[in-house]
Amino acid sequence: MLHVLNPIPAEAIRLIVFDLDGTLIDSQKDLANSINAMLTQMGRQPLPEEVIGTYIGDGAGMLVRRALGDPDDEHVVEDGLNRFLAYYREHKLDHTYVYPGVFESIDAMRAMPDGATRSMAVLTNKPIGPSRAICEALGLSEHFFQIYGGNSFATKKPDPEGLNTLIAEAGVAPYETLMIGDSDVDVLTARRAGAWVIGCRFGLSSHTLENIPSDCLVDLASEWATALHFATKQK
């Protein structure tokens, strides 16, 4: 169900930036399996997938730290991260899939009302290596002019550095930019950059969307285009 708080001016939007996990793809099972492989290797008890799901959204390092119970020993975290990444590199596509409606929505949002074409990109806190590999394997890469990950910059979302870089690369203004994501991290990133934002209530971190208002909330990826063009249809 579409919930509009602030209608997005579709005629102004020239750049759309997507989060990856929980927005374009459902990767929870592969992430959870990789975390539990790490925990087992370190002699710890595995965690329920639903619990691990609540740890996703702030990058691999924070995911591992949370799964380990936020230990004081940074060597433990580093060891866990290395084990997690080693397993995830081999198993990142075991169960991960593109959400229904994503490709159709991307196509529907590509064309602007004046006939121009919108630029599209990905900005995720997942490490860049697996992010690009997943996008390539699932047929997503060809739709984006750029894919940036959690280690592409000195900072991660919600710092707006990555989004500001994409805005500059696309040659647009913040007001002409729309971020689509499933967490308060994405909403806050958009707000700090001065961009519009759609929150995805179907995602992995959707429980956090209550923390800060989005311009629109959707329950399905197939509703993105409707959310974008809502103001136009109301005229």
Side-chain angles (χ1 to χ4, degrees):
M1 181 178 177
L2 178 65
H3 181 60
V4 179
L5 294 175
N6 300 304
I8 298 167
E11 68 280 357
I13 300 300
R14 297 171 57 201
L15 169 65
I16 302 178
V17 179
F18 298 86
D19 173 49
L20 185 58
D21 298 281
T23 301
L24 294 170
I25 61 171
D26 186 341
S27 53
Q28 178 168 296
K29 181 170 288 294
D30 287 333
L31 288 169
N33 288 349
S34 300
I35 284 292
N36 280 332
M38 172 205 75
L39 292 172
T40 300
Q41 291 173 19
M42 297 177 73
R44 300 181 178 226
Q45 288 290 25
L47 296 169
E49 181 180 322
E50 295 73 22
V51 173
I52 296 172
T54 66
Y55 298 159
I56 298 169
D58 294 297
M62 189 58 71
L63 171 59
V64 167
R65 179 179 293 279
R66 288 166 175 160
L68 290 171
D70 195 15
D72 293 328
D73 190 342
E74 292 301 317
H75 294 293
V76 172
V77 178
E78 183 178 355
D79 180 37
L81 180 60
N82 290 334
R83 293 173 184 272
F84 163 76
L85 290 174
Y87 189 92
Y88 187 62
R89 287 189 191 101
E90 300 298 320
H91 297 276
K92 59 184 177 294
L93 288 164
D94 288 357
H95 304 282
T96 294
Y97 62 92
V98 178
Y99 283 113
V102 164
F103 290 113
E104 295 83 356
S105 290
I106 288 175
D107 288 341
M109 293 188 295
R110 177 78 66 184
M112 295 183 64
D114 62 3
T117 301
R118 293 187 176 97
S119 298
M120 297 190 178
V122 171
L123 178 62
T124 173
N125 278 343
K126 181 195 287 290
I128 189 60
S131 296
R132 288 183 171 166
I134 288 171
C135 286
E136 184 65 30
L138 298 181
L140 288 164
S141 297
E142 63 192 71
H143 298 280
F144 307 115
F145 81 90
Q146 186 61 271
I147 298 172
Y148 283 134
N151 53 345
S152 295
F153 305 97
T155 61
K156 294 182 176 67
K157 297 181 297 182
D159 189 288
E161 181 182 8
L163 185 53
N164 287 336
T165 300
L166 287 168
I167 289 171
E169 290 179 354
V172 302
Y175 181 82
E176 298 171 315
T177 303
L178 170 64
M179 178 97 197
I180 300 179
D182 70 310
S183 74
D184 57 351
V185 170
D186 299 306
V187 178
L188 190 54
T189 303
R191 293 291 181 241
R192 288 176 172 175
W196 299 85
V197 62
I198 293 176
C200 303
R201 291 192 287 200
F202 58 82
L204 307 183
S205 303
S206 57
H207 58 283
T208 66
L209 288 174
E210 301 173 358
N211 298 336
I212 178 171
S214 305
D215 294 306
C216 297
L217 290 168
V218 299
D219 289 327
L220 302 165
S222 57
E223 295 176 331
W224 290 339
T226 304
L228 174 59
H229 296 110
F230 180 83
T232 303
K233 293 178 179 178
Q234 294 302 105
K235 292 179 180 178

